Amino acid sequence: MFVSFFLYLAVIFAIGVVTMRMGRTYEDFLIGGRRIGPWVSSFALITSYMSGYTYTAAPGLGYTGGYSVLWWATGDAPGNALSFGILGRRIRKYSELLGAITLPEYYEKRFNSPALRVISAAIILLTVSMHLVAQWTASGKLLSVVFGTEYFTGMVIGCAVVLIYTIMGGYLAVVYTDFVQGLLMFFGTQMLFWVALGRIGGFAALNDKLGAINPALVTPWGPDMAYYGLLAAATPVILIVMGSFGMPHITIKHFSMKNPDTARQAMLITGVFVVLFSFVYYMTGGLARVILGENLADVEQAGVMLWFKVLPPFWAGFLSSAAVASLMSTADSFLLLLVSTIAHDLLNRFSKNEIPEKKRIAIARALVLIVACVSFAVAMNPPALVFTIVIFVFGGMALAFGVPNLFSIFWKRTTAAGVGACMISSLVVYTGATAAKFSPWGLHPFISGLIVAVAVLVLVSLATEPPKGRALEMFDYAAAYGDVPRSVAAGASASVRAEASLAEAELGNGVDHKVLAGSGAAAAC
């Protein structure tokens, strides 16, 4: 088992070494120099989206809910594909035209509002910190079973493996390892599902055996009727689709694409692979319930326990690698997002005095260390299941960023006041509805937040002064098909080129990427 696992780690380390040599500038470190092609962009998005949820929460949900949880899978393929098709092409062009390399910077330049940069950066720090709790929790649950260790040791192993390559090459290391990890996750999950399904005798046998345990497990409504009715069943689909438009570490994948047309190719690749992927990892939970039996101590360990029940040791090690890949692919993106938010969006933008690049990164390193250690400490005694944490954060990101992202590229009349009010009010309503367990007609609290987000953004935008300036002039260029005209792009991204040049001048050619990458090292708590 350990041979296949350590072979995987060797490949990831090699990618980190190669990408360390490829990254030469500030822009390379944060968004890969905007030169990522469709296959790598697609798999980077898929793997960052899937996270440790794939091997803990999804099988656990399938274990308890049977076929009914496939409503969550139904939103995966359209959400991920449309993230490229609807959002990706336009926001890729708009970010280049505005010279923006992070999402908070995009908001500031799109709406001419420094306040929006601060608000969005603060929301990113809060939501990412919460999501990291889920990733460290998933790490502890998975790797404690794989290595036969305590939960805490599993968490430490997961954190250490994530950071070995993240600190080496920044964004390029993240996306290229995500590509390898995406292939590993896909084939590993498919292998587990089909071997386990063959073990019990096929789909008909699975249906019969789940029905014998509880007839409600083979209905679309679930044992507790949680998905009964059209609105209740549609809620998971809406939440997943909107979340795909709003996760900031996913949006950065769009910024990094080689050109706007990359989005169309990536949309097709993503749609095909996610359809084949997402239904399988939820159904693995139903297989685990039949094969492993009832009353597991922790249902979110059902998936990993199934590996060792149905697979030979070498292939169980292969699946262990896929599980680590699922953790790494999301955690590394979050760590890089924390670095860019602290160093670029806050320190670099709002310091009264010019802070040298090395000092800025040192401060960012210390703050990331605090955030990572706090999330790690919380994960030692997690407040909820991985599923509960991930879905709550997912909904918050969908409201705070998904709605503004879409309106920013499709409605010229959107204003800074409208976006700011949308972010704050929707999160307040969503959090309050979740805490109060407010779910009229069986709807998830996210729906209440979504209604408020759209209504507030539109009404406040109409009630405030229309936007003006260069950012609005670029709107039509961003909406048009094709690449950004050279005459426009020549001046539009000057701030990016100037910042990259400044980083090289201060840090020295060939050294800056290592120093910048070092800001991720602090999360190795």
Side-chain angles (χ1 to χ4, degrees):
M1 181 186 82
F2 293 106
V3 173
S4 53
F5 181 75
F6 285 107
L7 178 62
Y8 156 73
L9 292 184
V11 171
I12 296 302
F13 177 79
I15 292 173
V17 172
V18 172
T19 54
M20 181 177 66
R21 297 174 179 175
M22 294 169 60
R24 309 296 292 180
T25 69
Y26 196 54
E27 189 178 9
D28 285 338
F29 182 76
L30 292 184
I31 57 171
R34 299 189 197 268
R35 59 176 184 266
I36 309 302
W39 279 92
V40 175
S41 292
S42 175
F43 274 85
L45 182 146
I46 292 171
T47 54
S48 295
Y49 170 85
M50 296 300 183
S51 78
Y53 178 98
T54 305
Y55 293 99
T56 54
L61 201 61
Y63 184 94
T64 57
Y67 294 163
S68 66
V69 303
L70 294 180
W71 290 113
W72 292 97
T74 303
D76 285 336
N80 281 261
L82 292 176
S83 179
F84 278 114
I86 293 179
L87 180 66
R89 182 183 65 83
R90 289 197 180 198
I91 205 165
R92 161 63 179 80
K93 292 180 72 175
Y94 221 155
S95 67
E96 182 180 3
L97 289 166
L98 298 175
I101 59 177
T102 65
L103 188 58
E105 183 177 28
Y106 168 77
Y107 287 139
E108 178 185 11
K109 294 182 176 180
R110 167 65 177 87
F111 298 106
N112 191 29
S113 172
L116 272 186
R117 189 167 188 159
V118 174
I119 293 171
S120 57
I123 294 173
I124 285 174
L125 292 177
L126 177 62
T127 54
V128 166
S129 299
M130 294 175 64
H131 211 303
L132 281 173
V133 171
Q135 298 312 306
W136 304 147
T137 301
S139 174
K141 291 186 176 187
L142 286 170
L143 298 182
S144 61
V145 175
V146 171
F147 296 108
T149 64
E150 296 295 325
Y151 171 79
F152 175 79
T153 306
M155 289 174 56
V156 173
I157 294 172
C159 290
V161 171
V162 166
L163 292 158
I164 285 175
Y165 69 92
T166 305
I167 64 176
M168 298 176 74
Y171 187 82
L172 291 172
V174 168
V175 293
Y176 284 113
T177 50
D178 280 355
F179 177 69
V180 174
Q181 290 166 173
L183 292 173
L184 184 63
M185 290 166 65
F186 177 78
F187 289 112
T189 305
Q190 293 290 330
M191 177 178 63
L192 174 64
F193 176 77
W194 293 107
V195 170
L197 186 65
R199 172 72 68 90
I200 66 171
F203 284 106
L206 173 62
N207 195 68
D208 291 342
K209 292 178 180 180
L210 277 178
I213 295 171
N214 184 344
L217 291 173
V218 295
T219 70
W221 319 125
D224 56 358
M225 300 296 285
Y227 307 101
Y228 182 74
L230 180 61
L231 290 176
T235 296
V237 181
I238 297 170
L239 192 157
I240 294 298
V241 171
M242 284 302 302
S244 300
F245 296 135
M247 301 188 80
H249 66 299
I250 298 297
T251 306
I252 291 299
K253 304 294 190 291
H254 300 324
F255 284 15
S256 71
M257 290 187 295
K258 186 175 183 180
N259 54 53
D261 285 339
T262 298
R264 294 195 192 94
Q265 303 169 56
M267 177 177 67
L268 177 61
I269 296 168
T270 302
V272 170
F273 274 89
V274 174
V275 164
L276 296 174
F277 195 177
S278 59
F279 289 94
V280 168
Y281 61 73
Y282 280 101
M283 290 189 69
T284 298
L287 289 166
R289 186 156 185 174
V290 171
I291 294 173
L292 300 176
E294 299 286 295
N295 303 317
L296 290 185
D298 186 346
V299 297
E300 292 192 331
Q301 291 182 324
V304 65
M305 292 174 69
L306 186 64
W307 309 344
F308 297 97
K309 187 72 173 180
V310 303
L311 296 175
F314 178 85
W315 293 111
F318 183 81
L319 260 295
S320 301
S321 302
V324 173
S326 71
L327 297 166
M328 292 170 68
S329 57
T330 300
D332 58 17
S333 295
F334 279 144
L335 292 173
L336 192 60
L337 183 62
L338 284 175
V339 172
S340 65
T341 301
I342 294 171
H344 182 75
D345 290 311
L346 297 177
L347 295 178
N348 185 51
R349 174 63 180 84
F350 295 105
S351 299
K352 292 183 178 180
N353 300 315
E354 182 67 27
I355 300 177
E357 193 75 25
K358 290 182 180 180
K359 184 176 181 180
R360 197 161 72 215
I361 295 303
I363 296 172
R365 178 183 300 142
L367 293 176
V368 168
L369 174 63
I370 294 171
V371 170
C373 286
V374 169
S375 65
F376 190 92
V378 173
M380 291 174 63
N381 186 21
L385 294 174
V386 173
F387 171 80
T388 304
I389 299 171
V390 169
I391 293 302
F392 177 73
V393 176
F394 199 84
M397 289 179 170
L399 297 172
F401 303 120
V403 174
N405 282 349
L406 291 172
F407 273 87
S408 75
I409 60 173
F410 285 106
W411 192 35
K412 278 187 176 182
R413 188 64 176 76
T414 307
T415 66
V419 171
C422 163
M423 290 178 174
I424 296 171
S425 62
S426 63
L427 289 180
V428 169
V429 169
Y430 175 54
T431 303
T434 300
K437 297 182 179 180
F438 177 72
S439 54
W441 304 292
L443 296 178
H444 192 279
F446 169 78
I447 299 299
S448 301
L450 181 61
I451 293 171
V452 169
V454 174
V456 168
L457 189 149
V458 172
L459 293 175
V460 174
S461 292
L462 291 175
T464 50
E465 185 178 354
K468 301 175 183 177
R470 175 175 161 275
L472 196 60
E473 295 171 4
M474 298 295 177
F475 186 94
D476 292 330
Y477 285 112
Y481 286 96
D483 293 337
V484 176
R486 291 185 179 180
S487 58
V488 177
S493 58
S495 62
V496 171
R497 293 196 304 274
E499 192 151 10
S501 299
L502 175 62
E504 287 185 293
E506 291 184 352
L507 299 175
N509 192 25
V511 178
D512 56 326
H513 60 289
K514 298 176 185 176
V515 176
L516 286 166
S519 58
C525 353

